[in-house]
Amino acid sequence: MRYRSVSAPMKLVLLGTGGYYPTPHRQTACVMLPEIGVVLDAGTGMYRLGDYLQTDHLDIFLTHAHLDHIAGLTYLINILPPEVLAQTTIHGEAAKLNAVQDHLFADAIFPVAPTFKFKPLDGPRALHPTGRLTYFPLAHPGGSIGFRLDWPDRSLAYVTDTTATTNSPYADAIRGVDLLLHEAYFADDSQNMAAKTGHSALSAVALLASEVQPRQLVLVHLDPVRDIDAEVQLMKQVFPNMCLAKDGEEFEF
Ligand SMILES: [Zn+2]
Ligand SMILES: [Zn+2]
């Protein structure tokens, strides 16, 4: 049995659980740890961030710069008080941050220049109070990265926009985390599309989870139109402790 500390659990809020484009039920990728001011990805779910803001600063980590992961950066000027905006930093691979600055915030695309900072990732980042964020490469058109966040008594991994396989190169990086957020954009009748578009089919994610044994698996970056709830129930034979994410859902870990 894995050791669990008696310290208070940390809260995680799913601000957006869809991929590609938003629907009334799913905004696109955005995950928040409100107590420490950390946000993973900046999709359209970002518009909900103001409801959960608890810190005077924010650190937003981008997996990559596809639109469904960055559109919400243009909302921040309206969502955040100026003093928080001045203490907000966007972290990501240098090439992705350059693309955001050159294109998303070009005059022709968005009228207001960002006042938050951009800081290329150049190694692990410290997390409040005694944690560490590390990242690892994912196979996806244009490239993406996954994140692992560790504290002495808890851990979290966020893996989206990649094709899961058994023996995935990143399996060791996510092994044994308490909470694994992993994309599952496609049902299993679309395995070819999953490989072609750099996304994951549900059964491959379930098999990977059975290999790396997170305490809990939450499926994110879901198809905006197709409901895979029945498929998820079947796949619980492969990995029992998994669920489909819902926008607004909160987890403690
Ligand atoms: Zn995406
Ligand atoms: Zn992508």
Side-chain angles (χ1 to χ4, degrees):
M1 191 176 186
R2 189 174 305 152
Y3 167 76
R4 291 290 295 163
S5 142
V6 291
S7 60
M10 188 175 286
K11 191 204 279 191
L12 176 146
V13 190
L14 300 175
L15 300 182
T17 62
Y20 196 3
Y21 58 85
T23 69
H25 305 296
R26 291 195 194 283
Q27 296 292 315
T28 72
C30 194
V31 177
M32 186 181 194
L33 301 168
E35 293 145 321
I36 59 170
V38 165
V39 178
L40 306 175
D41 272 340
T44 62
M46 185 69 91
Y47 89 91
R48 299 183 165 119
L49 183 139
D51 295 342
Y52 299 94
L53 188 65
Q54 291 184 27
T55 51
D56 62 0
H57 66 278
L58 279 180
D59 287 286
I60 301 174
F61 294 86
L62 301 179
T63 57
H64 62 312
H66 284 163
L67 275 175
D68 52 334
H69 300 256
I70 62 166
L73 293 175
T74 61
Y75 313 162
L76 291 176
I77 186 172
N78 197 42
I79 290 169
L80 297 177
E83 61 276 17
V84 180
L85 205 55
Q87 294 196 76
T88 291
T89 305
I90 316 302
H91 309 262
E93 291 186 297
K96 307 302 193 299
L97 298 188
N98 288 339
V100 168
Q101 290 172 279
D102 293 348
H103 300 291
L104 188 65
F105 288 101
D107 286 348
I109 304 287
F110 191 71
V112 184
T115 54
F116 38 80
K117 293 178 274 297
F118 291 87
K119 190 171 180 192
L121 285 167
D122 55 3
R125 286 287 155 79
L127 295 172
H128 182 81
T130 54
R132 192 170 88 124
L133 176 144
T134 51
Y135 53 94
F136 44 91
L138 299 173
H140 185 61
S144 183
I145 54 176
F147 296 118
R148 177 170 174 142
L149 290 71
D150 282 286
W151 293 266
D153 52 0
R154 73 201 74 204
S155 55
L156 159 74
Y158 176 60
V159 178
T160 190
D161 292 57
T162 196
T163 308
T165 57
T166 46
N167 302 316
S168 278
Y170 57 87
D172 284 337
I174 62 173
R175 198 174 297 281
V177 291
D178 291 314
L179 187 56
L180 171 60
L181 308 181
H182 198 295
E183 80 135 277
Y185 192 87
F186 287 108
D188 286 316
D189 52 8
S190 310
Q191 302 242 19
N192 288 344
M193 277 301 287
K196 193 187 273 184
T197 60
H199 291 290
S200 294
L202 173 62
S203 65
V205 179
L207 284 167
L208 176 63
S210 73
E211 182 189 332
V212 302
Q213 288 291 317
R215 198 159 56 84
Q216 184 175 13
L217 168 62
V218 179
L219 302 167
V220 296
H221 198 278
L222 302 165
D223 185 321
V225 293
R226 181 160 174 189
D227 180 5
I228 58 169
D229 193 58
E231 288 91 339
V232 169
Q233 294 310 317
L234 280 175
M235 277 299 142
K236 286 186 176 181
Q237 293 169 12
V238 177
F239 187 78
N241 198 8
M242 72 167 148
C243 64
L244 275 177
K246 295 186 192 70
D247 276 28
E249 201 170 3
E250 300 184 7
F251 291 85
E252 291 190 328
F253 69 105

